[in-house]
Amino acid sequence: MSNDPVIRWHESGEEKSARWQSEKGLPPPKRVQVIDDRISADSAYRLACEGTSLLWRGDFHNAKLLLQAMARRIDKKPVHRKKPENLTPIELFHRHRLMQSQRAQTLDKLLIPFEADHAIALRRAPDVRNACLEAWGPYSEPSIASLRELLGLIGAHEWRKKGIDIPALSITIHPHYGVFAPVRNEYIQLVAQAAPPKLLATQSIAFDIGTGTGVLAGALAQRGIQRIVATDHDPRALDCARDNLARLNLTDKIELLQTDLFPQEQAALIVCNPPWVPARPASPLEHAIFDPESRMLRGFLQGLRDHLLPGGEGWLILSDFAEHLGLRTREALLQMIDAAGLQVLSKSDVKPRHPKVADASDPLHAARAAELTSLWRLAAK
């Protein structure tokens, strides 16, 4: 067994162990009960609610059905709390996040076993070895992970194979597991259409801060910028961007750099699309959405002036979703910009078009319906 976390349990009178895999970084469960097709959904749900993890030894498809049945019981569970109409937007947000967290904690209790090569050791299990290898890398011993995490991993693998069409650029982007997928890509349209700084005509260099899949670096390259440095602190994001840029034949124009925010040099244009919601992420996968205390946003604004060439511009792409939730005010954002020695040259807006905008049953529907995504053109004072 390697130095990775180990899950231990008793089965058939013996103590057993395996590598523990958790993308969320959760510790190995201390209470594990082996179950199979004979268990009822009510019993499984009760055990999970009590904090017992359930190691599945039955048919794989039946495990998926059990997970769905457990989810239905969670969703039907009555909640004796204040009615939504009596809550402020920020109270609605925090209640929604708490319910999401509690739901995930319960459903994550259903575990499945893997062989050393990532094959699932269950009847009628699909071949997920390539998907697991992409996400987790090679293993040398058997492992255990939650079924819910596996299903998310399989979904990410399919997105990677199929790709996401980006109409504003007429390209397809292939997101990797753990890298934010530009499913909501209306913000790319803003970058593709914004008037470029005049300085780019003589100093054709730009930075893409927090590049993720590399889609904004690709947008800058399409605009004819000769040299682009795309940064990210996450190795998985850089691997993803490298893959996408190779597919788009843009590796000669775009340099990838692993760093926190800025390269050492200066540029005529610096673009950043930081996480939009100043709240704590529940897992590493949520870091592209949730930015505790607006750390990345503040870091970008505070460092922007020093990394702009004279006459250069910073393009901040930011949704006002947090403002509609009461998590950040427009005044606070403008104060951050001013305190960083920056001025606003202009602002362009686009209305999101994702399905949740029209979903009146979404607890956060009012905020989503009012949301705008903006490109703020910033310059040194």
Side-chain angles (χ1 to χ4, degrees):
M1 191 70 63
S2 69
N3 292 326
D4 294 295
V6 175
I7 179 173
R8 303 182 188 279
W9 71 97
H10 285 88
E11 187 174 359
S12 303
E14 298 180 10
E15 181 176 305
K16 298 193 175 184
S17 64
R19 175 187 178 128
W20 170 244
Q21 172 61 43
S22 170
E23 179 65 28
K24 295 180 180 179
L26 298 175
K30 295 182 178 179
R31 282 190 289 167
V32 180
Q33 181 168 324
V34 178
I35 63 170
D36 57 28
D37 308 87
R38 294 170 293 180
I39 195 168
S40 69
D42 285 336
S43 296
Y45 177 61
R46 176 180 53 78
L47 287 167
C49 288
E50 292 171 352
T52 300
S53 291
L54 309 171
L55 178 56
W56 185 257
R57 289 298 192 190
D59 177 89
F60 179 82
H61 289 282
N62 287 344
K64 289 176 63 178
L65 292 174
L66 177 61
L67 188 68
Q68 293 168 7
M70 292 169 64
R72 286 194 297 270
R73 281 156 176 77
I74 296 173
D75 297 338
K76 288 180 181 178
K77 185 178 179 181
V79 180
H80 302 293
R81 294 175 179 167
K82 291 168 71 175
K83 294 181 179 180
E85 57 266 27
N86 297 327
L87 296 174
T88 65
I90 195 169
E91 287 173 333
L92 272 173
F93 171 76
H94 287 304
R95 186 169 83 170
H96 178 62
R97 290 285 289 162
L98 178 61
M99 292 174 68
Q100 282 185 318
S101 175
Q102 292 172 340
R103 187 179 194 274
Q105 287 175 18
T106 301
L107 296 180
D108 282 343
K109 292 289 192 292
L110 185 55
L111 312 179
I112 58 170
F114 296 84
E115 304 288 1
D117 64 351
H118 296 309
I120 300 174
L122 298 173
R123 296 190 307 274
R124 291 203 299 164
D127 187 351
V128 299
R129 288 175 293 180
N130 287 339
C132 292
L133 189 63
E134 285 176 354
W136 296 337
Y139 285 176
S140 58
E141 64 258 340
S143 62
I144 303 288
S146 81
L147 173 58
R148 186 168 176 267
E149 183 166 314
L150 173 69
L151 296 178
L153 185 153
I154 293 171
H157 177 65
E158 293 304 314
W159 273 117
R160 179 170 176 172
K161 286 196 300 182
K162 179 183 176 183
I164 297 171
D165 291 332
I166 310 295
L169 306 179
S170 299
I171 63 173
T172 300
I173 289 291
H174 297 261
H176 291 195
Y177 178 71
V179 181
F180 184 66
V183 178
R184 281 186 54 177
N185 53 52
E186 64 273 356
Y187 66 92
I188 300 168
Q189 172 187 332
L190 294 174
V191 174
Q193 296 176 350
K198 293 180 180 178
L199 182 63
L200 277 175
T202 57
Q203 300 285 336
S204 191
I205 176 171
F207 300 158
D208 172 24
I209 307 301
T211 193
T213 61
V215 64
L216 288 184
L220 297 176
Q222 280 200 0
R223 302 208 60 174
I225 300 174
Q226 295 303 304
R227 180 167 177 256
I228 300 157
V229 181
T231 72
D232 210 296
H233 66 86
D234 185 354
R236 287 196 297 198
L238 293 172
D239 287 342
C240 178
R242 189 173 294 109
D243 175 38
N244 281 305
L245 298 177
R247 292 172 185 266
L248 299 171
N249 296 315
L250 292 174
T251 52
D252 58 334
K253 284 190 174 182
I254 302 172
E255 174 189 350
L256 293 171
L257 180 65
Q258 184 175 0
T259 188
D260 188 14
L261 297 176
F262 299 94
Q264 294 296 318
E265 52 193 314
Q266 293 180 314
L269 174 62
I270 304 179
V271 177
C272 183
N273 175 30
W276 295 344
V277 182
R280 186 167 57 88
S283 72
L285 296 179
E286 290 191 342
H287 277 283
I289 304 169
F290 297 97
D291 183 20
E293 300 175 348
S294 300
R295 290 173 193 163
M296 183 173 178
L297 172 60
R298 292 179 186 276
F300 171 71
L301 292 174
Q302 291 168 2
L304 180 58
R305 180 176 176 140
D306 290 341
H307 289 88
L308 281 175
L309 289 166
E313 292 182 17
W315 289 0
L316 171 66
I317 299 107
L318 194 67
S319 159
D320 64 359
F321 185 52
E323 296 177 20
H324 297 296
L325 293 173
L327 296 170
R328 179 174 57 232
T329 65
R330 176 59 54 90
E331 181 183 9
L333 174 61
L334 293 174
Q335 286 176 349
M336 280 188 246
I337 292 171
D338 182 66
L342 303 168
Q343 60 179 321
V344 179
L345 300 179
S346 67
K347 181 171 75 75
S348 305
D349 304 320
V350 65
K351 190 79 178 164
R353 297 182 293 270
H354 58 88
K356 285 190 176 181
V357 172
D359 182 6
S361 66
D362 184 345
L364 307 180
H365 171 68
R368 297 193 197 281
E371 179 186 7
L372 289 175
T373 301
S374 303
L375 186 153
W376 297 76
R377 293 178 61 224
L378 307 173
K381 290 181 181 178

